[in-house]
Amino acid sequence: DAICTLNTLQTNASALEQVRRERSNPELQLNAMRGFLERAGLTVDELDHLNIIHVTGTKGKGSTCAFTEQILRNYGFRTGFYSSPHLVQVRERIRINGQPIGKDLFTKYFWQVYGRLDETKDAHGGTMPAYFRFLTILAFHVFLQEKVDLAVIEVGIGGAYDCTNIIRRPWVCGISSLGIDHTQILGDTVEKIAWQKGGIFKPGVPAFTVRQPGGAMKVKLQFYLTLDCGPLHLGLAGQHQRSNASLALQLSHTWLQRRSDHSFPVTTVENNGLADAKWPGRTQTLKHEEVTYFLDGAHTMRSMQACVQWFRETAAEHERSASGAVARVLLFNATGERDSAAMLKLLVTCHFDFAVFCPNITEAIASCNADQQNFNVSVENMLTRCLDNERSWRLHNRLGDNEGTQLLIQDSLPCLPEHRGDTLVFLCILSALQWITQGRDSVLADLAKSTLPVKQSVTAKAAPLREAAEIHVLITGSLHLVGGALKHLDPASSK
Protein backbone atom coordinates (compact mmCIF):
# COMPACT_ATOMS: atom_id res chain seq x y z
CA ASP A 1 0.00 0.00 0.00
CA ALA A 2 2.85 2.38 0.83
CA ILE A 3 4.56 1.76 -2.53
CA CYS A 4 1.32 2.16 -4.49
CA THR A 5 0.58 5.40 -2.62
CA LEU A 6 4.12 6.60 -3.31
CA ASN A 7 3.57 5.92 -7.02
CA THR A 8 0.61 8.32 -7.08
CA LEU A 9 3.19 11.08 -6.60
CA GLN A 10 4.54 10.27 -10.06
CA THR A 11 1.25 11.35 -11.62
CA ASN A 12 -0.11 13.83 -9.09
CA ALA A 13 -1.36 16.69 -11.28
CA SER A 14 -0.57 19.48 -8.81
CA ALA A 15 2.94 18.13 -8.22
CA LEU A 16 3.64 17.88 -11.96
CA GLU A 17 2.28 21.38 -12.55
CA GLN A 18 4.50 22.71 -9.78
CA VAL A 19 7.59 21.07 -11.31
CA ARG A 20 6.72 22.56 -14.72
CA ARG A 21 6.34 26.05 -13.20
CA GLU A 22 9.64 25.80 -11.38
CA ARG A 23 11.63 24.84 -14.47
CA SER A 24 11.50 28.46 -15.62
CA ASN A 25 12.45 29.66 -12.13
CA PRO A 26 14.48 26.86 -10.53
CA GLU A 27 15.11 28.79 -7.30
CA LEU A 28 11.45 28.13 -6.48
CA GLN A 29 12.32 24.42 -6.19
CA LEU A 30 14.33 24.89 -3.01
CA ASN A 31 11.66 27.16 -1.49
CA ALA A 32 9.02 24.54 -2.25
CA MET A 33 11.24 21.82 -0.78
CA ARG A 34 11.68 23.75 2.46
CA GLY A 35 7.90 24.12 2.68
CA PHE A 36 7.32 20.39 2.19
CA LEU A 37 10.04 19.59 4.73
CA GLU A 38 8.36 21.76 7.37
CA ARG A 39 4.94 20.29 6.60
CA ALA A 40 6.48 16.83 7.20
CA GLY A 41 7.53 17.97 10.69
CA LEU A 42 11.23 18.55 9.91
CA THR A 43 13.39 21.65 9.77
CA VAL A 44 16.52 22.57 7.85
CA ASP A 45 18.21 23.09 11.24
CA GLU A 46 17.71 19.41 12.06
CA LEU A 47 19.51 18.39 8.86
CA ASP A 48 22.62 20.14 10.19
CA HIS A 49 22.91 17.31 12.75
CA LEU A 50 23.18 14.57 10.11
CA ASN A 51 26.93 15.17 9.49
CA ILE A 52 26.35 14.96 5.74
CA ILE A 53 28.71 14.08 2.89
CA HIS A 54 27.08 15.57 -0.22
CA VAL A 55 28.12 14.17 -3.63
CA THR A 56 27.21 15.10 -7.20
CA GLY A 57 28.61 14.44 -10.68
CA THR A 58 27.52 13.11 -14.04
CA LYS A 59 29.28 9.75 -13.92
CA GLY A 60 30.39 7.81 -10.87
CA LYS A 61 28.64 9.74 -8.10
CA GLY A 62 26.80 6.62 -6.89
CA SER A 63 29.99 4.54 -6.90
CA THR A 64 31.84 7.31 -5.05
CA CYS A 65 29.08 7.34 -2.43
CA ALA A 66 29.17 3.54 -2.14
CA PHE A 67 32.96 3.56 -1.57
CA THR A 68 32.67 6.42 0.95
CA GLU A 69 29.89 4.75 2.92
CA GLN A 70 31.78 1.43 3.05
CA ILE A 71 35.01 3.09 4.24
CA LEU A 72 33.27 4.90 7.10
CA ARG A 73 31.20 1.85 8.02
CA ASN A 74 34.45 -0.10 8.29
CA TYR A 75 35.54 2.45 10.90
CA GLY A 76 32.51 1.45 12.97
CA PHE A 77 30.23 4.37 12.24
CA ARG A 78 26.48 3.94 11.77
CA THR A 79 25.88 5.15 8.22
CA GLY A 80 22.93 6.43 6.24
CA PHE A 81 23.08 6.45 2.44
CA TYR A 82 20.53 8.05 0.11
CA SER A 83 20.84 7.30 -3.62
CA SER A 84 18.82 7.11 -6.82
CA PRO A 85 17.43 5.51 -8.82
CA HIS A 86 16.65 2.13 -7.31
CA LEU A 87 17.22 -1.05 -9.29
CA VAL A 88 14.63 -3.52 -7.97
CA GLN A 89 12.97 -2.11 -4.83
CA VAL A 90 12.47 1.51 -3.86
CA ARG A 91 13.81 0.75 -0.36
CA GLU A 92 17.30 0.49 -1.92
CA ARG A 93 17.39 4.29 -2.07
CA ILE A 94 17.46 4.60 1.74
CA ARG A 95 20.14 2.47 3.41
CA ILE A 96 21.28 2.05 6.99
CA ASN A 97 24.72 0.48 7.41
CA GLY A 98 24.78 -0.39 3.72
CA GLN A 99 21.48 -2.31 3.72
CA PRO A 100 18.14 -1.10 2.31
CA ILE A 101 15.78 -0.37 5.18
CA GLY A 102 13.38 -3.24 5.86
CA LYS A 103 9.78 -3.31 4.69
CA ASP A 104 8.44 -2.72 8.21
CA LEU A 105 10.66 0.33 8.76
CA PHE A 106 9.89 1.71 5.30
CA THR A 107 6.15 1.31 5.90
CA LYS A 108 6.27 2.88 9.36
CA TYR A 109 8.26 5.93 8.31
CA PHE A 110 6.46 6.30 4.98
CA TRP A 111 3.05 6.71 6.61
CA GLN A 112 4.45 9.07 9.24
CA VAL A 113 5.73 11.47 6.55
CA TYR A 114 2.90 10.95 4.07
CA GLY A 115 0.27 11.40 6.78
CA ARG A 116 1.67 14.78 7.85
CA LEU A 117 1.86 16.02 4.27
CA ASP A 118 -1.62 14.74 3.44
CA GLU A 119 -3.13 16.36 6.55
CA THR A 120 -1.69 19.77 5.61
CA LYS A 121 -2.34 19.73 1.86
CA ASP A 122 -5.73 21.52 1.99
CA ALA A 123 -4.10 24.49 3.66
CA HIS A 124 -1.51 24.57 0.86
CA GLY A 125 -3.67 24.41 -2.26
CA GLY A 126 -3.82 20.62 -2.29
CA THR A 127 -0.11 20.32 -3.12
CA MET A 128 1.94 17.20 -2.41
CA PRO A 129 5.64 16.76 -3.20
CA ALA A 130 6.57 14.88 -6.37
CA TYR A 131 8.09 11.37 -6.13
CA PHE A 132 11.79 12.25 -5.72
CA ARG A 133 11.11 15.12 -3.34
CA PHE A 134 9.02 12.89 -1.12
CA LEU A 135 11.71 10.20 -1.01
CA THR A 136 14.34 12.81 -0.14
CA ILE A 137 12.22 14.04 2.78
CA LEU A 138 11.60 10.42 3.83
CA ALA A 139 15.35 9.69 3.77
CA PHE A 140 16.11 12.67 6.02
CA HIS A 141 13.35 11.55 8.41
CA VAL A 142 14.66 7.97 8.50
CA PHE A 143 18.26 9.04 9.15
CA LEU A 144 17.22 11.37 11.98
CA GLN A 145 14.95 8.77 13.58
CA GLU A 146 17.56 6.00 13.24
CA LYS A 147 20.27 8.27 14.70
CA VAL A 148 22.98 7.63 12.10
CA ASP A 149 26.48 9.00 12.72
CA LEU A 150 26.63 10.38 9.20
CA ALA A 151 24.59 10.46 5.99
CA VAL A 152 26.03 10.12 2.50
CA ILE A 153 23.64 12.00 0.20
CA GLU A 154 23.76 11.56 -3.58
CA VAL A 155 22.35 14.43 -5.64
CA GLY A 156 19.46 13.53 -7.95
CA ILE A 157 20.04 15.82 -10.96
CA GLY A 158 22.48 18.72 -11.14
CA GLY A 159 23.18 20.28 -7.77
CA ALA A 160 22.36 23.96 -7.40
CA TYR A 161 18.59 23.43 -7.62
CA ASP A 162 18.37 19.74 -6.74
CA CYS A 163 16.04 19.17 -3.83
CA THR A 164 18.86 17.60 -1.78
CA ASN A 165 20.52 21.03 -1.83
CA ILE A 166 18.40 22.29 1.05
CA ILE A 167 21.33 20.90 3.05
CA ARG A 168 23.03 24.01 4.49
CA ARG A 169 25.99 22.64 6.40
CA PRO A 170 27.44 19.45 4.96
CA TRP A 171 30.77 18.34 6.43
CA VAL A 172 32.35 17.82 3.00
CA CYS A 173 31.23 17.92 -0.67
CA GLY A 174 32.46 15.98 -3.68
CA ILE A 175 32.02 16.11 -7.45
CA SER A 176 32.73 13.00 -9.52
CA SER A 177 33.42 13.03 -13.26
CA LEU A 178 31.41 15.56 -15.29
CA GLY A 179 29.89 15.04 -18.73
CA ILE A 180 26.95 16.05 -20.90
CA ASP A 181 23.60 14.76 -19.57
CA HIS A 182 20.16 16.18 -18.72
CA THR A 183 20.93 19.11 -21.04
CA GLN A 184 17.35 20.47 -21.00
CA ILE A 185 17.65 21.04 -17.25
CA LEU A 186 21.37 21.65 -16.71
CA GLY A 187 22.59 23.25 -19.94
CA ASP A 188 24.37 22.02 -23.04
CA THR A 189 28.02 22.74 -22.22
CA VAL A 190 30.32 21.22 -19.62
CA GLU A 191 30.86 24.72 -18.17
CA LYS A 192 27.12 25.21 -17.58
CA ILE A 193 26.87 21.73 -16.07
CA ALA A 194 29.91 22.43 -13.85
CA TRP A 195 28.16 25.57 -12.53
CA GLN A 196 25.08 23.51 -11.65
CA LYS A 197 27.13 20.79 -9.92
CA GLY A 198 29.25 23.33 -8.05
CA GLY A 199 26.02 24.68 -6.59
CA ILE A 200 26.27 22.17 -3.73
CA PHE A 201 29.40 23.91 -2.41
CA LYS A 202 28.91 25.91 0.80
CA PRO A 203 31.08 28.61 2.37
CA GLY A 204 33.75 27.14 4.62
CA VAL A 205 32.95 23.54 3.63
CA PRO A 206 35.81 21.48 2.11
CA ALA A 207 35.05 20.46 -1.48
CA PHE A 208 36.85 18.01 -3.75
CA THR A 209 36.62 16.90 -7.35
CA VAL A 210 38.43 14.55 -9.69
CA ARG A 211 40.10 15.76 -12.89
CA GLN A 212 37.49 17.34 -15.14
CA PRO A 213 37.31 18.00 -18.89
CA GLY A 214 37.84 21.36 -20.60
CA GLY A 215 36.69 24.52 -18.91
CA ALA A 216 34.88 22.76 -16.08
CA MET A 217 37.78 23.30 -13.68
CA LYS A 218 37.47 27.09 -14.03
CA VAL A 219 33.85 27.15 -12.89
CA LYS A 220 33.71 27.03 -9.10
CA LEU A 221 36.06 24.03 -9.05
CA GLN A 222 39.16 25.33 -7.32
CA PHE A 223 41.26 22.23 -6.92
CA TYR A 224 41.24 18.61 -7.86
CA LEU A 225 42.50 15.42 -6.37
CA THR A 226 44.81 12.66 -7.52
CA LEU A 227 46.10 10.21 -4.96
CA ASP A 228 48.87 7.75 -5.74
CA CYS A 229 47.84 4.96 -3.44
CA GLY A 230 49.64 2.17 -5.26
CA PRO A 231 47.65 -0.86 -6.39
CA LEU A 232 44.05 -0.49 -5.25
CA HIS A 233 41.90 -3.57 -4.72
CA LEU A 234 38.38 -2.38 -5.40
CA GLY A 235 35.07 -4.10 -4.91
CA LEU A 236 33.82 -2.45 -8.12
CA ALA A 237 35.35 -3.44 -11.45
CA GLY A 238 36.66 -1.09 -14.16
CA GLN A 239 39.56 1.33 -14.47
CA HIS A 240 37.21 4.31 -14.14
CA GLN A 241 36.42 3.25 -10.57
CA ARG A 242 39.94 4.23 -9.47
CA SER A 243 39.14 7.95 -9.60
CA ASN A 244 35.83 7.33 -7.80
CA ALA A 245 37.71 5.40 -5.08
CA SER A 246 40.32 8.15 -4.84
CA LEU A 247 37.63 10.79 -4.34
CA ALA A 248 35.92 8.57 -1.75
CA LEU A 249 39.17 8.24 0.20
CA GLN A 250 39.53 12.03 0.34
CA LEU A 251 35.89 12.58 1.35
CA SER A 252 36.24 9.96 4.09
CA HIS A 253 39.58 11.39 5.21
CA THR A 254 38.14 14.90 5.50
CA TRP A 255 35.04 13.68 7.35
CA LEU A 256 37.17 11.70 9.82
CA GLN A 257 39.48 14.65 10.44
CA ARG A 258 36.52 16.78 11.42
CA ARG A 259 35.01 13.99 13.51
CA SER A 260 38.10 13.43 15.60
CA ASP A 261 41.71 14.42 16.07
CA HIS A 262 43.24 11.11 15.03
CA SER A 263 44.98 11.01 11.68
CA PHE A 264 43.49 9.00 8.84
CA PRO A 265 46.33 7.65 6.65
CA VAL A 266 45.01 8.15 3.13
CA THR A 267 47.90 6.24 1.57
CA THR A 268 47.23 3.13 3.65
CA VAL A 269 44.64 1.30 1.60
CA GLU A 270 44.58 -2.02 3.45
CA ASN A 271 41.30 -2.73 5.22
CA ASN A 272 39.81 0.64 4.31
CA GLY A 273 36.65 -0.80 2.79
CA LEU A 274 37.38 -0.21 -0.90
CA ALA A 275 37.65 -3.94 -1.58
CA ASP A 276 34.39 -4.59 0.27
CA ALA A 277 32.32 -1.97 -1.55
CA LYS A 278 29.33 -3.22 -3.52
CA TRP A 279 27.20 -1.22 -5.90
CA PRO A 280 24.89 -3.53 -7.90
CA GLY A 281 24.22 -2.84 -11.55
CA ARG A 282 27.50 -1.05 -12.13
CA THR A 283 30.27 -3.14 -13.75
CA GLN A 284 28.67 -6.18 -12.15
CA THR A 285 29.26 -9.75 -13.34
CA LEU A 286 26.88 -12.64 -12.61
CA LYS A 287 27.68 -16.18 -13.77
CA HIS A 288 24.78 -18.64 -13.98
CA GLU A 289 26.04 -21.97 -15.30
CA GLU A 290 26.82 -21.49 -19.02
CA VAL A 291 25.46 -17.91 -19.13
CA THR A 292 27.48 -14.93 -17.85
CA TYR A 293 25.77 -11.56 -17.43
CA PHE A 294 27.69 -8.30 -17.51
CA LEU A 295 25.52 -5.53 -16.08
CA ASP A 296 26.29 -1.82 -16.23
CA GLY A 297 23.76 1.01 -16.08
CA ALA A 298 25.87 3.31 -18.31
CA HIS A 299 23.61 5.91 -19.94
CA THR A 300 25.92 8.75 -21.05
CA MET A 301 28.64 8.79 -23.68
CA ARG A 302 31.48 8.87 -21.17
CA SER A 303 30.00 6.16 -18.98
CA MET A 304 29.36 4.01 -22.07
CA GLN A 305 33.01 4.42 -23.12
CA ALA A 306 34.02 3.14 -19.68
CA CYS A 307 31.48 0.31 -19.93
CA VAL A 308 32.81 -0.79 -23.32
CA GLN A 309 36.39 -0.85 -22.03
CA TRP A 310 35.35 -2.85 -18.93
CA PHE A 311 33.24 -5.32 -20.92
CA ARG A 312 35.87 -5.97 -23.57
CA GLU A 313 38.54 -6.66 -20.96
CA THR A 314 36.36 -8.69 -18.60
CA ALA A 315 34.57 -10.70 -21.30
CA ALA A 316 37.95 -11.54 -22.89
CA GLU A 317 39.13 -12.96 -19.54
CA HIS A 318 36.04 -15.14 -19.28
CA GLU A 319 36.36 -16.26 -22.89
CA ARG A 320 39.94 -17.45 -22.35
CA SER A 321 38.66 -19.97 -19.81
CA ALA A 322 35.57 -21.02 -21.81
CA SER A 323 35.27 -24.66 -22.91
CA GLY A 324 34.35 -23.74 -26.48
CA ALA A 325 32.76 -21.08 -28.69
CA VAL A 326 31.12 -18.13 -26.91
CA ALA A 327 28.10 -16.23 -28.22
CA ARG A 328 27.99 -12.53 -27.36
CA VAL A 329 24.62 -10.80 -26.93
CA LEU A 330 23.79 -7.15 -26.26
CA LEU A 331 20.59 -6.34 -24.35
CA PHE A 332 20.03 -2.58 -24.62
CA ASN A 333 17.58 0.16 -23.87
CA ALA A 334 17.92 3.91 -23.34
CA THR A 335 15.46 6.45 -22.02
CA GLY A 336 14.87 10.19 -21.93
CA GLU A 337 16.74 12.62 -24.13
CA ARG A 338 19.90 10.53 -24.34
CA ASP A 339 21.65 9.96 -27.67
CA SER A 340 21.20 6.21 -27.88
CA ALA A 341 22.46 6.06 -31.49
CA ALA A 342 25.82 7.46 -30.39
CA MET A 343 26.02 5.00 -27.47
CA LEU A 344 25.19 2.11 -29.78
CA LYS A 345 27.98 3.18 -32.13
CA LEU A 346 30.44 2.72 -29.25
CA LEU A 347 29.03 -0.75 -28.54
CA VAL A 348 29.56 -1.93 -32.13
CA THR A 349 33.26 -2.43 -31.30
CA CYS A 350 32.32 -5.27 -28.90
CA HIS A 351 31.34 -7.52 -31.86
CA PHE A 352 28.05 -8.94 -30.65
CA ASP A 353 26.44 -11.92 -32.38
CA PHE A 354 22.97 -10.60 -31.48
CA ALA A 355 21.59 -7.26 -30.37
CA VAL A 356 18.33 -7.46 -28.45
CA PHE A 357 16.16 -4.48 -27.51
CA CYS A 358 13.28 -4.18 -25.07
CA PRO A 359 11.57 -1.46 -22.98
CA ASN A 360 12.06 -1.14 -19.23
CA ILE A 361 9.05 -3.37 -18.59
CA THR A 362 9.96 -6.20 -16.25
CA GLU A 363 7.45 -8.72 -17.56
CA ALA A 364 4.54 -8.63 -19.98
CA ILE A 365 2.15 -10.61 -17.79
CA ALA A 366 0.99 -8.38 -14.95
CA SER A 367 2.38 -9.12 -11.51
CA CYS A 368 2.73 -7.23 -8.24
CA ASN A 369 5.65 -5.05 -9.22
CA ALA A 370 4.79 -1.61 -7.88
CA ASP A 371 8.44 -0.77 -7.14
CA GLN A 372 9.30 -0.68 -10.84
CA GLN A 373 6.23 1.03 -12.25
CA ASN A 374 6.86 4.23 -14.22
CA PHE A 375 3.76 6.23 -15.12
CA ASN A 376 5.65 9.02 -16.85
CA VAL A 377 6.28 7.19 -20.17
CA SER A 378 3.70 5.36 -22.26
CA VAL A 379 4.27 1.79 -23.46
CA GLU A 380 3.86 3.02 -27.03
CA ASN A 381 6.66 5.55 -26.58
CA MET A 382 8.91 2.94 -24.99
CA LEU A 383 8.40 0.50 -27.87
CA THR A 384 8.93 3.23 -30.47
CA ARG A 385 12.26 4.02 -28.81
CA CYS A 386 13.23 0.32 -28.96
CA LEU A 387 12.45 0.18 -32.67
CA ASP A 388 14.51 3.33 -33.24
CA ASN A 389 17.42 1.79 -31.33
CA GLU A 390 17.15 -1.41 -33.34
CA ARG A 391 17.24 0.61 -36.57
CA SER A 392 20.30 2.55 -35.40
CA TRP A 393 22.12 -0.69 -34.60
CA ARG A 394 21.38 -2.12 -38.03
CA LEU A 395 22.66 1.04 -39.72
CA HIS A 396 25.84 1.06 -37.61
CA ASN A 397 26.43 -2.59 -38.54
CA ARG A 398 25.41 -2.10 -42.21
CA LEU A 399 22.70 -4.70 -41.84
CA GLY A 400 20.24 -2.70 -43.91
CA ASP A 401 17.04 -1.11 -42.82
CA ASN A 402 14.03 -2.44 -44.67
CA GLU A 403 10.77 -1.22 -43.22
CA GLY A 404 11.31 -1.91 -39.56
CA THR A 405 11.59 -4.95 -37.40
CA GLN A 406 9.18 -7.44 -35.91
CA LEU A 407 8.02 -7.35 -32.32
CA LEU A 408 8.80 -10.88 -31.31
CA ILE A 409 5.80 -12.00 -29.33
CA GLN A 410 3.17 -14.27 -30.87
CA ASP A 411 -0.23 -12.66 -31.53
CA SER A 412 0.56 -9.52 -29.54
CA LEU A 413 0.96 -6.69 -32.03
CA PRO A 414 0.67 -6.50 -35.83
CA CYS A 415 3.78 -8.05 -37.35
CA LEU A 416 6.11 -5.99 -39.46
CA PRO A 417 8.34 -7.63 -42.10
CA GLU A 418 10.93 -9.87 -40.44
CA HIS A 419 14.62 -9.17 -40.79
CA ARG A 420 17.14 -11.91 -41.46
CA GLY A 421 19.73 -9.99 -39.49
CA ASP A 422 20.95 -10.26 -35.94
CA THR A 423 18.57 -7.91 -34.10
CA LEU A 424 15.41 -8.61 -32.16
CA VAL A 425 12.90 -6.51 -30.21
CA PHE A 426 10.89 -7.93 -27.31
CA LEU A 427 8.02 -6.48 -25.32
CA CYS A 428 9.59 -7.02 -21.90
CA ILE A 429 12.86 -7.80 -20.15
CA LEU A 430 11.88 -11.32 -19.10
CA SER A 431 10.94 -12.35 -22.65
CA ALA A 432 14.25 -11.01 -23.91
CA LEU A 433 16.23 -12.89 -21.23
CA GLN A 434 14.32 -16.11 -21.91
CA TRP A 435 15.15 -15.94 -25.60
CA ILE A 436 18.80 -15.04 -25.03
CA THR A 437 19.44 -17.86 -22.56
CA GLN A 438 17.46 -20.58 -24.35
CA GLY A 439 16.73 -22.51 -21.15
CA ARG A 440 20.40 -22.57 -20.10
CA ASP A 441 19.94 -20.52 -16.92
CA SER A 442 18.09 -22.46 -14.23
CA VAL A 443 17.35 -19.22 -12.32
CA LEU A 444 15.11 -18.19 -15.22
CA ALA A 445 13.64 -21.67 -15.79
CA ASP A 446 10.92 -21.27 -13.17
CA LEU A 447 9.79 -18.05 -14.81
CA ALA A 448 8.88 -19.67 -18.15
CA LYS A 449 5.18 -19.52 -17.29
CA SER A 450 5.45 -15.72 -17.04
CA THR A 451 6.50 -15.19 -20.66
CA LEU A 452 4.48 -15.04 -23.84
CA PRO A 453 5.21 -17.58 -26.61
CA VAL A 454 7.50 -16.47 -29.42
CA LYS A 455 7.20 -17.38 -33.08
CA GLN A 456 8.84 -20.54 -34.38
CA SER A 457 11.02 -18.50 -36.73
CA VAL A 458 12.38 -16.58 -33.75
CA THR A 459 13.14 -19.79 -31.90
CA ALA A 460 15.01 -21.06 -34.99
CA LYS A 461 17.04 -17.86 -35.09
CA ALA A 462 18.49 -18.74 -31.68
CA ALA A 463 20.33 -21.83 -32.94
CA PRO A 464 23.79 -20.21 -32.42
CA LEU A 465 22.88 -19.57 -28.78
CA ARG A 466 21.96 -23.20 -28.23
CA GLU A 467 25.11 -24.45 -29.95
CA ALA A 468 27.60 -22.16 -28.18
CA ALA A 469 29.55 -23.49 -25.20
CA GLU A 470 28.76 -20.30 -23.29
CA ILE A 471 26.65 -17.17 -23.69
CA HIS A 472 27.91 -13.74 -22.63
CA VAL A 473 25.26 -11.03 -22.21
CA LEU A 474 26.00 -7.32 -21.77
CA ILE A 475 22.99 -5.47 -20.29
CA THR A 476 23.42 -1.70 -20.53
CA GLY A 477 22.02 1.69 -21.56
CA SER A 478 19.69 2.22 -18.60
CA LEU A 479 19.82 1.57 -14.85
CA HIS A 480 16.10 0.77 -15.02
CA LEU A 481 16.81 -1.95 -17.60
CA VAL A 482 19.58 -3.35 -15.41
CA GLY A 483 17.28 -3.26 -12.38
CA GLY A 484 14.53 -5.10 -14.26
CA ALA A 485 17.04 -7.76 -15.29
CA LEU A 486 18.36 -8.13 -11.73
CA LYS A 487 14.83 -8.69 -10.46
CA HIS A 488 14.83 -11.93 -12.45
CA LEU A 489 18.52 -12.87 -12.28
CA ASP A 490 19.02 -12.22 -8.55
CA PRO A 491 15.84 -13.34 -6.74
CA ALA A 492 17.31 -12.22 -3.40
CA SER A 493 17.12 -8.61 -4.61
CA SER A 494 13.32 -8.82 -4.46
CA LYS A 495 13.21 -10.14 -0.89
Side-chain angles (χ1 to χ4, degrees):
D1 286 348
I3 302 295
C4 290
T5 302
L6 172 66
N7 284 343
T8 66
L9 301 178
Q10 292 186 44
T11 52
N12 179 290
S14 66
L16 295 176
E17 176 56 33
Q18 186 177 57
V19 169
R20 273 193 291 272
R21 260 197 329 269
E22 291 163 3
R23 277 190 182 153
S24 58
N25 189 356
E27 291 180 18
L28 289 175
Q29 291 179 222
L30 295 180
N31 289 332
M33 185 64 181
R34 289 186 197 98
F36 287 128
L37 192 74
E38 289 169 9
R39 282 171 54 190
L42 301 172
T43 66
V44 178
D45 288 342
E46 286 181 278
L47 304 189
D48 295 344
H49 301 299
L50 284 176
N51 306 337
I52 287 168
I53 298 173
H54 202 190
V55 182
T56 189
T58 307
K59 179 168 75 83
K61 62 181 183 290
S63 300
T64 298
C65 288
F67 281 129
T68 304
E69 185 276 334
Q70 181 72 60
I71 291 168
L72 293 172
R73 179 154 39 99
N74 272 28
Y75 271 84
F77 293 105
R78 181 170 171 81
T79 62
F81 178 12
Y82 177 57
S83 65
S84 61
H86 62 278
L87 293 175
V88 180
Q89 299 196 74
V90 72
R91 297 179 294 109
E92 298 166 25
R93 296 178 184 232
I94 304 172
R95 296 171 183 254
I96 303 289
N97 282 338
Q99 295 299 312
I101 60 172
K103 291 182 178 179
D104 289 345
L105 268 189
F106 181 90
T107 304
K108 173 180 136 182
Y109 290 132
F110 174 89
W111 291 116
Q112 285 177 3
V113 173
Y114 187 88
R116 292 168 187 165
L117 288 162
D118 191 52
E119 288 164 7
T120 55
K121 71 179 181 183
D122 289 343
H124 293 83
T127 58
M128 291 288 283
Y131 188 88
F132 183 77
R133 283 183 186 170
F134 180 89
L135 286 170
T136 304
I137 295 166
L138 179 60
F140 290 144
H141 179 63
V142 170
F143 297 153
L144 286 165
Q145 293 297 312
E146 291 295 307
K147 296 179 170 54
V148 297
D149 295 315
L150 69 128
V152 180
I153 305 293
E154 179 191 354
V155 165
I157 294 177
Y161 304 119
D162 184 74
C163 67
T164 65
N165 206 31
I166 58 167
I167 298 163
R168 294 185 312 184
R169 294 177 188 155
W171 278 23
V172 60
C173 296
I175 299 184
S176 65
S177 181
L178 295 181
I180 304 296
D181 195 21
H182 299 295
T183 53
Q184 292 179 345
I185 299 171
L186 304 181
D188 55 3
T189 68
V190 75
E191 289 82 6
K192 291 176 183 175
I193 289 170
W195 185 90
Q196 292 280 351
K197 306 289 184 183
I200 69 167
F201 293 173
K202 305 295 187 298
V205 175
F208 299 91
T209 179
V210 298
R211 289 184 184 273
Q212 301 291 359
M217 295 302 294
K218 299 174 185 174
V219 186
K220 282 201 174 185
L221 309 184
Q222 317 224 330
F223 50 86
Y224 59 81
L225 156 78
T226 50
L227 291 175
D228 183 10
C229 301
L232 288 174
H233 300 287
L234 306 181
L236 307 182
Q239 279 297 312
H240 59 290
Q241 295 293 1
R242 292 178 63 84
S243 66
N244 298 330
S246 177
L247 179 57
L249 281 169
Q250 189 63 57
L251 295 173
S252 307
H253 177 202
T254 304
W255 190 92
L256 283 164
Q257 282 185 321
R258 177 165 177 180
R259 175 78 184 201
S260 62
D261 294 330
H262 74 264
S263 171
F264 171 53
V266 179
T267 53
T268 304
V269 296
E270 294 83 13
N271 304 316
N272 63 14
L274 293 177
D276 302 323
K278 293 180 175 60
W279 195 224
R282 290 82 169 175
T283 60
Q284 180 182 7
T285 303
L286 287 177
K287 186 167 177 60
H288 292 182
E289 297 127 44
E290 296 146 354
V291 185
T292 304
Y293 303 92
F294 303 86
L295 303 107
D296 190 75
H299 52 270
T300 69
M301 286 297 288
R302 292 195 69 205
S303 60
M304 189 58 73
Q305 288 168 342
C307 172
V308 166
Q309 181 184 1
W310 163 73
F311 173 74
R312 290 176 68 170
E313 292 172 358
T314 310
E317 288 175 18
H318 283 263
E319 285 168 12
R320 280 193 284 274
S321 60
S323 58
V326 175
R328 279 190 179 187
V329 184
L330 171 66
L331 178 56
F332 181 90
N333 191 39
T335 60
E337 64 193 58
R338 296 178 177 91
D339 189 349
S340 51
M343 287 192 284
L344 287 167
K345 190 171 185 178
L346 293 174
L347 288 160
V348 167
T349 62
C350 295
H351 305 296
F352 292 101
D353 299 295
F354 292 95
V356 177
F357 303 90
C358 69
N360 296 338
I361 298 172
T362 315
E363 51 212 294
I365 296 176
S367 65
C368 184
N369 194 33
D371 286 89
Q372 293 183 313
Q373 286 180 319
N374 182 349
F375 297 107
N376 296 318
V377 187
S378 71
V379 173
E380 182 182 19
N381 286 344
M382 287 192 278
L383 288 172
T384 299
R385 185 69 178 266
C386 291
L387 293 168
D388 289 342
N389 291 339
E390 189 265 358
R391 190 173 294 112
S392 294
W393 181 262
R394 297 187 67 80
L395 291 171
H396 286 320
N397 284 273
R398 296 182 174 83
L399 294 171
D401 180 36
N402 296 336
E403 296 177 15
T405 192
Q406 176 181 358
L407 289 166
L408 299 169
I409 301 293
Q410 183 105 24
D411 301 326
S412 56
L413 289 174
C415 295
L416 299 171
E418 183 178 354
H419 277 309
R420 297 294 175 191
D422 59 353
T423 59
L424 303 96
V425 178
F426 287 90
L427 288 180
C428 71
I429 296 167
L430 181 56
S431 293
L433 289 172
Q434 291 281 15
W435 183 85
I436 291 167
T437 56
Q438 291 294 302
R440 300 175 69 173
D441 181 352
S442 60
V443 173
L444 294 174
D446 294 338
L447 301 173
K449 60 182 180 296
S450 302
T451 57
L452 298 169
V454 298
K455 293 177 179 294
Q456 189 173 353
S457 59
V458 176
T459 303
K461 202 178 215 182
L465 298 172
R466 292 189 291 273
E467 294 164 4
E470 292 184 17
I471 302 170
H472 288 176
V473 191
L474 174 62
I475 305 174
T476 191
S478 163
L479 274 169
H480 302 288
L481 173 70
V482 167
L486 280 172
K487 177 182 183 287
H488 300 305
L489 300 175
D490 181 15
S493 65
S494 297
K495 296 281 172 57

